[in-house]
Amino acid sequence: MSEFLFDYERAFNPLITGHLESASFDLMLNQQQAKQIQSFLALEKGMKILDIPCGTGRHAKLLAEQGFEIDALDYNASFIERAQQFAKDAGLSVNFMQGDMRDLRFKEKYDRIFNVFSSFGYFDDKTNLQVMQEMSSALKPGGRLLLNVLNGESAAVKESENGIARQFKGLDTQYDPHSKILTTNRALKIEGEEYSYEFKVRLYNASELTHMLEMCGLVPLEWHGDWAGSALTNTSAQIFVVAEKSFVA
């Protein structure tokens, strides 16, 4: 199976990610984002929903609190363990699963799928398309996908002024316009020890995403440029696209 563009085990070391998550995410922000996911996807009770990749389940848990039926999958086993324990302690019913988005093995199971916080683009173009196809295959005909990525067309992306660096201060980011890969480096100190990681993600613009979605039987319905639902422009730091799976194979 194709490899990540970066050293996944180092970048998603539980110590580092736990530190960043506790330092950078707050409940109010999570609630606002969960509410917007609900709005973007027009979620209704009784729908079967998949959060992929879910991390420690910060969005899935909040949607479950609202009574939505959620499955949530992540490659990182430590994330899933933390999410499962939190859900158990809170008395929430969320089906957290460890798995690989390159090989979902779901067939027309879900009414809605969301992939947010720049969690698409971890691989080469061929494998990223495979991930898109896996998500499409997991959707029922007429089901919808919400995809949120950094905007490869935006000049602001090079400095991540309104992207990742807004969440995590002190990041060193470089964008290669030829490979279209954004590389992020960070050094941090946790309990007196120095740690560092490198993270790479392939950035796509709206035209490229449209082509990929259509190749996978998904029809773009809505485009937005931020969590507030503003219109997408070529200077928007992020892309939010809602696409519907075609009824015709």
Side-chain angles (χ1 to χ4, degrees):
M1 184 170 286
S2 300
E3 297 297 324
F4 288 86
L5 294 174
F6 56 97
D7 184 343
Y8 180 92
E9 298 301 330
R10 183 171 183 81
F12 286 91
N13 177 290
L15 182 64
I16 292 176
T17 53
H19 174 81
L20 292 176
E21 185 176 51
S22 63
S24 305
F25 296 118
D26 60 68
L27 180 59
M28 183 175 293
L29 177 64
N30 293 341
Q31 289 173 332
Q32 291 171 346
Q33 292 177 352
K35 184 177 181 180
Q36 199 57 43
I37 290 169
Q38 184 177 344
S39 176
F40 281 143
L41 284 174
L43 298 184
E44 298 178 1
K45 303 293 175 60
M47 286 181 171
K48 190 70 173 175
I49 303 162
L50 176 65
D51 175 5
I52 176 173
C54 65
T56 56
R58 59 196 182 93
H59 295 128
K61 289 177 289 194
L62 289 169
L63 289 170
E65 287 178 354
Q66 300 300 313
F68 293 105
E69 184 178 357
I70 305 285
D71 286 354
L73 180 144
D74 201 280
Y75 185 77
N76 193 311
S78 67
F79 284 172
I80 294 300
E81 290 173 4
R82 287 159 59 189
Q84 288 173 333
Q85 187 60 53
F86 182 94
K88 180 180 179 181
D89 292 344
L92 295 174
S93 178
V94 183
N95 180 26
F96 285 108
M97 304 172 285
Q98 193 279 329
D100 194 322
M101 58 185 170
R102 293 166 290 182
D103 185 22
L104 293 181
R105 302 183 182 182
F106 301 131
K107 180 67 174 178
E108 298 184 356
K109 181 176 181 179
Y110 296 100
D111 300 287
R112 299 288 190 268
I113 296 176
F114 60 91
N115 178 306
V116 297
F117 208 67
S118 301
S119 298
F120 179 81
Y122 289 172
F123 313 101
D124 59 31
D125 285 336
K126 180 180 179 180
T127 310
N128 290 331
L129 181 63
Q130 177 184 336
V131 170
M132 182 87 75
Q133 183 59 62
E134 288 292 301
M135 292 190 291
S136 177
S137 296
L139 278 172
K140 300 175 184 178
R144 294 185 180 183
L145 166 71
L146 169 64
L147 184 65
N148 161 226
V149 298
L150 292 176
N151 184 3
E153 189 172 354
S154 172
V157 131
K158 294 182 182 180
E159 299 297 331
S160 294
E161 292 174 350
N162 298 302
I164 298 175
R166 187 174 180 179
Q167 292 286 346
F168 303 138
K169 303 300 183 183
L171 294 182
D172 174 22
T173 59
Q174 293 184 334
Y175 179 67
D176 182 346
H178 300 292
S179 66
K180 301 181 181 179
I181 291 175
L182 179 74
T183 300
T184 300
N185 288 280
R186 176 166 183 160
L188 66 160
K189 184 177 289 187
I190 306 174
E191 298 179 355
E193 296 291 332
E194 297 285 345
Y195 297 90
S196 64
Y197 70 84
E198 180 179 81
F199 176 83
K200 294 178 182 284
V201 62
R202 164 66 158 95
L203 302 187
Y204 294 94
N205 59 34
S207 177
E208 290 173 312
L209 289 175
T210 297
H211 179 64
M212 296 173 74
L213 288 163
E214 291 178 346
M215 286 183 67
C216 297
L218 296 163
V219 180
L221 300 178
E222 301 175 14
W223 297 88
H224 304 284
D226 56 32
W227 279 102
S230 301
L232 177 67
T233 71
N234 59 3
T235 60
S236 298
Q238 300 186 62
I239 293 175
F240 291 79
V241 56
V242 178
E244 184 174 271
K245 183 172 180 179
S246 173
F247 282 91
V248 180

